[in-house]
């Protein structure tokens, strides 16, 4: 699989490969490429370093929330994954292959959940940045306006997905061929298994906001969209020649 250094989450995500392969070999290859930057490198499962200091997202997300969210929850998924895969056929597989091999397998739900949550959180921390929000860079801005009508409409769609997710889950901006879309997933689920290329995500598990906002998820989501969302990261993930 060739790599493309222009794109932060790896080489081309070929939608036909995804849709045609189900959970087959092509999906494994494709997921492997997309997920190659994850915290689990080859057979060495790790907790990825935060791309900023734990106080740098305050006041929207406090240092205390980061300490628990990154230092307890995210770290916990890494540790649980290692415990579950130790001594099994998954122990020597990269994270990407574990996700692809366990997606939709009811007898591997715990392994999938922890592997996917490691990936989702690696992606989430990079979907935010200090002094984020604002106007997206031009290539992404054009795509967003073509797909949603305006940046504001895209933000409204992301907020609606985040706030409309019943219980735990994620809101996502994804690329589907030439179009950008917003979708939500429950619990650990992620768009990769639907053949969609993630551009950014927002964590709406209660642990992401409860210490700072209690039950006010909508206030948290709006503040994230206005002040932290990392449009530059999303643009890096954009395929300019979608297949
Ligand atoms: Mn989380």
């Amino acid at each position: 699989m060739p790599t493309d250094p222009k794109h932060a989450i790896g080489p081309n995500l070929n939608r036909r490969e995804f849709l045609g392969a189900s959970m087959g070999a092509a999906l494994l290859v494709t997921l492997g490429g997309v997920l190659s930057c994850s915290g689990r490198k080859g057979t060495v499962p790790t907790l990825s370093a935060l791309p900023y200091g734990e106080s740098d997202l305050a006041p929207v997300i406090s240092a205390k929330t980061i300490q628990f969210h990154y230092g307890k929850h995210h770290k916990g998924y890494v540790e649980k994954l290692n415990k579950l895969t130790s001594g099994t056929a998954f122990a020597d597989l990269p994270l990407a292959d574990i996700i692809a091999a366990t997606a939709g397998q009811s007898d591997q739900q715990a392994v999938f959940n922890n592997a996917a949550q490691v990936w989702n959180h690696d992606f989430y921390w990079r979907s935010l940045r200090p002094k984020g929000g604002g106007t997206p860079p031009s290539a992404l801005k054009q795509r967003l306006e073509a797909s949603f009508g305006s940046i504001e409409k895209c933000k409204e769609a992301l907020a609606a997905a985040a706030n409309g997710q019943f219980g735990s889950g994620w809101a996502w901006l994804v690329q589907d061929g030439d179009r950008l879309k917003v979708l939500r997933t429950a619990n650990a689920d992620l768009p990769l298994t639907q053949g969609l290329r993630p551009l950014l995500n927002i964590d709406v598990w209660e642990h992401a906001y409860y210490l700072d906002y209690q039950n006010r998820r909508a206030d948290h989501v709006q503040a994230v969209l206005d002040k932290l969302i990392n449009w530059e990261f999303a643009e890096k993930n954009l395929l300019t020649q979608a297949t």
Side-chain angles (χ1 to χ4, degrees):
M1 194 81 190
T3 57
D4 181 351
K6 285 186 301 184
H7 300 298
I9 59 173
N12 290 8
L13 174 64
N14 186 314
R15 186 163 186 262
R16 280 167 303 177
E17 281 182 4
F18 254 109
L19 299 180
S22 182
M23 292 298 137
L27 174 59
L28 282 168
V29 169
T30 308
L31 268 172
V34 171
L35 296 168
S36 62
C37 66
S38 124
R40 182 164 168 139
K41 307 279 189 195
T43 58
V44 184
T46 56
L47 178 65
S48 293
L50 275 180
Y52 33 72
E54 65 182 23
S55 302
D56 293 347
L57 303 183
V60 176
I61 298 176
S62 68
K64 189 172 184 184
T65 288
I66 299 287
Q67 285 159 11
F68 279 88
H69 195 176
Y70 174 73
K72 302 291 184 185
H73 293 277
H74 185 177
K75 183 165 180 267
Y77 295 126
V78 174
E79 291 174 349
K80 187 72 185 293
L81 176 65
N82 291 339
K83 195 172 174 185
L84 286 168
T85 57
S86 176
T88 76
F90 296 123
D92 295 326
L93 291 180
L95 181 64
D97 294 7
I98 297 175
I99 292 172
T102 57
Q105 307 295 316
S106 57
D107 59 338
Q108 299 292 351
Q109 189 73 52
V111 176
F112 172 81
N113 283 342
N114 285 280
Q117 282 293 79
V118 171
W119 193 91
N120 290 341
H121 283 85
D122 286 345
F123 200 73
Y124 171 66
W125 300 123
R126 289 176 291 144
S127 294
L128 308 176
R129 68 177 179 93
K131 298 185 172 66
T135 304
S138 60
L140 177 64
K141 183 168 180 283
Q142 285 177 11
R143 289 295 191 94
L144 290 170
E145 287 172 346
S147 294
F148 296 96
S150 68
I151 307 307
E152 206 49 44
K153 292 281 187 206
C154 171
K155 288 171 66 178
E156 287 172 12
L158 278 165
N163 298 327
Q165 171 57 35
F166 184 77
S168 297
W170 299 83
W172 302 82
L173 178 65
V174 302
Q175 183 170 11
D176 182 8
D178 290 334
R179 305 293 293 176
L180 305 189
K181 295 178 177 177
V182 162
L183 59 90
R184 59 184 191 236
T185 60
N187 301 316
D189 284 346
L190 66 174
L192 296 165
T193 54
Q194 301 175 38
L196 300 169
R197 182 183 184 86
L199 302 184
L200 61 78
N201 68 4
I202 301 173
D203 190 338
V204 293
W205 284 59
E206 285 186 347
H207 65 225
Y209 60 87
Y210 220 83
L211 290 174
D212 298 327
Y213 295 82
Q214 293 77 49
N215 60 319
R216 293 177 288 113
R217 182 192 289 189
D219 291 351
H220 166 76
V221 168
Q222 195 61 50
V224 165
L225 287 169
D226 290 341
K227 297 174 181 170
L228 297 182
I229 206 72
N230 189 348
W231 294 121
E232 287 73 15
F233 176 64
E235 181 168 277
K236 284 177 188 163
N237 293 327
L238 193 64
L239 280 183
T240 51
Q241 292 186 319
T243 54

